[in-house]
Amino acid sequence: MIRSVEPTSLLDLSKDQLAALLAGWGEPRYRSGQLWEWLYRRLAAHPAQMTNLPLALRQRLAEETRVDPLETLYEQRSRDGLTVKWLFGLAGGVTVETVLMLYGGEDAPAEDETKAPPRKRRTVCISTQAGCAMGCVFCATGQSGLARNLTAGEIVAQVLAAARWLAREDLSGLERPDRSEERLTNVVVMGMGEPLANYDHTWQALRILTDGDGFNLGARHITVSTVGLAPGIRRMTEEPLQINLAVSLHAPNDALRSKLAPINSRYPIAEVMAAVRDYIGRTHRRVTFEYALMDGINDSPALARELAVLLRGLLCHVNLIPLNPVVESPYRPSPPERATAFLSILEAHGIPATMRLRRGIDIDAGCGQLRRRLTDGAAQPAQARRPALAGR
Ligand code: SAH
Ligand code: SF4
């Protein structure tokens, strides 16, 4: 039989929409709760696994809906075993990347240092767009332009894929004292794309993932990173969900920032900072500023001082990340001494800051890099491009 309509993508649906779908099929009300639990608590990838649903319903779900919109094109684990990266294929032939990072207490990311003592974390970094329209000059994703927005279900599915991987993988060779370590603990929306340019789908996904009857991820364990779309930051301020905000700053003045992140011409630093101040004032939440250190571009002591002045008195934390070099890009990471000097100046001015460890460098775990290597045909061993920088 030729199907005339696309199957309904279950992960695109809110709890109410799922209930409406099953009610429309004449199912009793409690069925949608059962299905929600299969999808988000028991991480079922196919209706056949949903054994407490009647066979006829499982069959109808299999025929008329789809659970997983992702096709795994590539999976790679770093040599130290602590980073896993996927390239997923989506409808329309586009691809996105997702990265899972397994942290021990000792290298927990900086944003947590101000909170509880470091603990073991399983953090997944997800994409919200295939490509990106923002064109930041140092970013592999930015170089290829925007293919399309992801749907809510495609965003949710990346988190579920990482959670399934954790549930089935034997991590006993690594540091892992108990079974609870198999649960995903954090989500960072820092993969491909600009989440605030795909606002509605991103928030639909985050609402699904934080639902207490389902995946039950704490909003405080989610961070959304933006290049600085001021209206989106303002919208985020109004959201009931207490999601963390990270802003990719990379430069303390408009002249330099507009060169690195062209969208700065539309939303200059003063406008972004006004939105961030408002966010902090209303939510009392600490904001993270990301700053990719590029050799000779944005890493001088003078710029560190300028950054310190810009951020003075703000409830914030600066994450310094030596640039992940992108093939065919002229930008290089700052040498360790320069990076450390930059960090020291911020600290001397009382700005909380950390140098972030880069993870999974041997598997191209930087934003957009795996996809670029695999789809450009520029395949060379990942090891060959491993930068000769100390400690990474
Ligand atoms: N579009 C959003 C989120 C995705 S990018 C944003 O820009 O914030 C996630 C982070 O990776 C951003 O801080 C971005 O500036 C950074 N990034 C992009 N390319 C990078 C590179 N080559 N090296 C280091 N960080 C990079
Ligand atoms: Fe887009 Fe973020 Fe890359 Fe800039 S850094 S091009 S906003 S994904």
Side-chain angles (χ1 to χ4, degrees):
M1 189 183 81
I2 297 170
R3 200 171 19 218
S4 56
V5 285
E6 277 290 299
T8 304
S9 171
L10 292 182
L11 303 184
D12 277 329
L13 305 181
S14 68
K15 204 152 77 173
D16 288 347
Q17 289 168 329
L18 190 72
L21 176 78
L22 291 197
W25 289 3
E27 293 291 336
R29 187 146 180 79
Y30 63 89
R31 287 276 182 245
S32 70
Q34 287 178 313
L35 179 51
W36 191 257
E37 198 177 313
W38 276 111
L39 294 174
Y40 298 111
R41 276 197 187 271
R42 305 173 79 164
L43 307 177
H46 193 275
Q49 298 168 312
M50 305 176 182
T51 44
N52 66 350
L53 300 186
L55 187 60
L57 176 56
R58 275 183 266 159
Q59 278 168 347
R60 184 161 188 191
L61 285 166
E63 278 162 19
E64 298 182 29
T65 72
R66 185 188 55 203
V67 176
D68 192 356
L70 309 178
E71 183 192 353
T72 304
L73 300 178
Y74 193 80
E75 176 181 305
Q76 194 179 354
R77 196 162 173 185
S78 62
R79 252 172 251 115
D80 61 11
L82 295 175
T83 306
V84 190
K85 179 151 191 165
W86 292 275
L87 185 71
F88 291 122
L90 311 175
V94 299
T95 56
V96 293
E97 298 175 12
T98 304
V99 183
L100 173 66
M101 291 158 283
L102 314 176
Y103 292 100
E106 69 292 339
D107 69 340
E111 57 260 42
D112 248 18
E113 288 188 359
T114 51
K115 300 174 189 160
R119 61 188 175 86
K120 297 211 156 93
R121 310 205 324 177
R122 275 75 183 94
T123 300
V124 66
C125 176
I126 56 170
S127 298
T128 52
Q129 298 183 307
C132 183
M134 301 297 147
C136 301
V137 296
F138 51 84
C139 171
T141 306
Q143 305 319 300
S144 37
L146 175 66
R148 70 167 171 86
N149 282 336
L150 265 52
T151 67
E154 289 166 341
I155 298 169
V156 165
Q158 297 170 63
V159 177
L160 298 185
R164 282 189 204 112
W165 187 93
L166 278 173
R168 70 171 179 261
E169 200 72 12
D170 177 13
L171 303 177
S172 53
L174 299 173
E175 28 62 45
R176 189 181 54 131
D178 64 62
R179 306 270 308 168
S180 68
E181 297 293 330
E182 288 167 13
R183 266 186 68 83
L184 200 68
T185 60
N186 294 70
V187 171
V188 292
V189 188
M190 292 187 184
M192 296 168 59
E194 168 49 45
L196 301 188
N198 184 17
Y199 193 100
D200 291 335
H201 291 170
T202 299
W203 249 261
Q204 165 97 337
L206 297 181
R207 277 190 295 269
I208 289 171
L209 291 168
T210 49
D211 181 82
D213 298 327
F215 198 74
N216 196 25
L217 186 71
R220 287 158 190 270
H221 295 142
I222 302 174
T223 301
V224 167
S225 174
T226 175
V227 68
L229 304 190
I233 294 173
R234 293 196 181 280
R235 215 175 143 186
M236 200 172 153
T237 304
E238 306 293 333
E239 292 288 344
L241 276 184
Q242 305 260 298
I243 308 273
N244 299 301
L245 168 66
V247 177
S248 302
L249 200 56
H250 307 312
N253 61 62
D254 284 327
L256 178 56
R257 191 166 192 268
S258 294
K259 282 191 199 137
L260 300 175
I263 194 68
N264 188 73
S265 310
R266 178 121 165 249
Y267 303 112
I269 291 178
E271 208 175 317
V272 176
M273 294 307 289
V276 167
R277 280 204 177 79
D278 209 38
Y279 172 91
I280 295 171
R282 303 268 289 278
T283 64
H284 309 290
R285 305 186 64 71
R286 183 180 298 270
V287 169
T288 300
F289 290 100
E290 289 155 280
Y291 198 105
L293 285 165
M294 300 171 224
D295 190 16
I297 304 285
N298 64 352
D299 62 350
S300 70
L303 287 170
R305 286 190 287 273
E306 199 177 340
L307 181 63
V309 171
L310 180 71
L311 303 182
R312 192 160 46 201
L314 214 60
L315 181 62
C316 72
H317 188 101
V318 177
N319 270 340
L320 298 173
I321 312 144
L323 187 81
N324 221 348
V326 172
V327 187
E328 289 162 27
S329 153
Y331 301 96
R332 314 309 313 164
S334 302
E337 323 77 63
R338 232 171 135 76
T340 312
F342 198 95
L343 173 66
S344 306
I345 293 170
L346 292 182
E347 284 173 341
H349 284 76
I351 306 290
T354 329
M355 191 77 68
R356 255 245 298 261
L357 288 168
R358 285 217 318 269
R359 300 292 303 272
I361 191 90
D362 59 318
I363 55 168
D364 300 278
C367 177
Q369 299 194 339
L370 175 68
R371 171 177 177 261
R372 208 167 132 107
R373 177 163 68 86
L374 294 177
T375 53
D376 286 0
Q380 44 175 307
Q383 177 65 23
R385 288 196 312 286
R386 191 177 181 139
L389 284 169
R392 265 172 290 134

